[in-house]
Amino acid sequence: MNDNNKSSQDELLETPLRRTRKNNNSHRYHKPPKKRKRICLILLVLVLLIFGGVGVYALNIIGHAKATIDDTYSSANIKKMRDVSAILKKKKPFSILLLGTDAGLGRQDTGRTDTIIVATVNPKKNKVTMLSIPRDTLVHVSGSDLIYEKINAAYHEGGVPTTIKTVQKTLDVPIDYYLLVNMDGLVKTVDAVGGVTVTPPLTFNYEDAHVTKGKKVTLNGKQALAYSRMRHEDPKGDYGRQYRQRQVIEALLHKTLSISSLSNYQGILKSVKANIRTDLTYNDMMTIATNYHSTAGNIKSYTLQGENAMIDDLSYQVAPVSEKRKQANRLRHELGLADSTASFANPNNYGADVTSDYTTATSTTTGTATTGYY
């Protein structure tokens, strides 16, 4: 665990559950305030640009924004599983872990990552694949003395390094890069592009979002945040929310690519740089903009499906071994890797008796069309 992110057990006020330690002792943390339940969408305009099909124009944009890009850089402080620089130079597929938090970046209180997506970028297939991991997914957090926790605790306990290690161990997929954004970044980015247009899969009123099922609507920053945060009125719960998150991400992608003014792009970058951290360097972004720009037209989205489980009076999502293996191999194939030989066993063998496979929810985007509510 990164020393800069360590806190004493008495200082961790985020986790309300009673969990069993390896020495069979248990403890309970204080219940987090309601504001901790805010959800942040993850895609910053930098990634929209470098994945976007704007060719030489993207290079010009990134070239003019070098100082801003340099300000967003922060090392992952972890030994990578692969030589990522060589991968980019050889134009091979790469992965990026997208993380969203409601805590201000640089604050002592790191908060939690309520949005976790593993994305792969495959230039040969001209495709981006995104796998959402529910924040309540039961895992063993890398380096923790607790037997099991929710995956969104990893960032609070050990920052980006621990989150990357936990995701890699859970899915047996190498994480080449990471991108961390807080919710202010979403609001500012959506406003900077003039709003995003989505077709709601259900009718609801939540904070600034008032939407009708099947009726296309353009949302400003605050409305897009509320639209992506609402969970309790959705019959699909967190899975429904993840679908709406991806709707906003994809709408933001297409809206960003339609902007024709260089000054607008620079304004977007300036408005969100305080809300972003990534270990993509300026040179990495230039390479991606050159060699991977055609992948944005084909985005396929999936969710790691789990079963509801009450453990120590807390609700978890327990993904069966078969589901984790299926999604892991999907991502590994996109990266040009062989099937995993990992066991994918859950902590304490929870879910070991679950043998049924799940029908994976899929959202496919080609051009501007989006389908697939589950």
Side-chain angles (χ1 to χ4, degrees), residues 109-130:
D109 178 10
T110 55
R112 290 177 176 245
T113 46
D114 282 344
T115 304
I116 304 170
I117 296 178
V118 180
T120 61
V121 184
N122 190 318
K124 293 182 179 179
K125 296 182 181 179
N126 287 330
K127 183 171 71 172
V128 174
T129 300
M130 298 195 299

Side-chain angles (χ1 to χ4, degrees), residues 9 29 60 73 124 167 205 234 283 331-332 335:
Q9 295 295 338
Y29 295 134
N60 191 25
Y73 178 82
K124 293 182 179 179
V167 171
N205 296 299
D234 194 318
N283 288 334
L331 295 176
R332 290 177 65 86
L335 294 173

Side-chain angles (χ1 to χ4, degrees), residues 123-248:
K124 293 182 179 179
K125 296 182 181 179
N126 287 330
K127 183 171 71 172
V128 174
T129 300
M130 298 195 299
L131 176 68
S132 296
I133 305 176
R135 64 178 187 172
D136 292 341
T137 298
L138 182 140
V139 299
H140 170 68
V141 172
S142 182
S144 175
D145 62 345
L146 302 176
I147 294 176
Y148 57 86
E149 300 180 78
K150 297 183 179 185
I151 196 169
N152 70 342
Y155 179 72
H156 179 81
E157 295 184 13
V160 169
T162 296
T163 306
I164 292 175
K165 290 177 182 177
T166 300
V167 171
Q168 287 182 152
K169 183 177 180 181
T170 300
L171 292 175
D172 193 28
V173 171
I175 300 299
D176 298 323
Y177 296 100
Y178 84 90
L179 176 73
L180 175 70
V181 182
N182 76 9
M183 66 177 183
D184 286 340
L186 170 68
V187 174
K188 292 179 180 179
T189 304
V190 171
D191 284 339
V193 301
V196 294
T197 301
V198 298
T199 302
L202 73 166
T203 299
F204 67 88
N205 296 299
Y206 179 76
E207 295 182 348
D208 294 287
H210 309 285
V211 298
T212 302
K213 179 179 179 180
K215 185 177 180 180
K216 190 176 295 186
V217 60
T218 298
L219 308 172
N220 62 27
K222 288 185 178 180
Q223 291 168 336
L225 178 63
Y227 180 80
S228 64
R229 284 179 55 191
M230 193 281 290
R231 178 176 60 154
H232 295 298
E233 295 181 40
D234 194 318
K236 302 295 183 182
D238 202 38
Y239 293 105
R241 177 169 60 179
Q242 289 166 24
Y243 172 79
R244 284 178 276 110
Q245 290 172 11
R246 293 195 299 267
Q247 273 191 308
V248 174

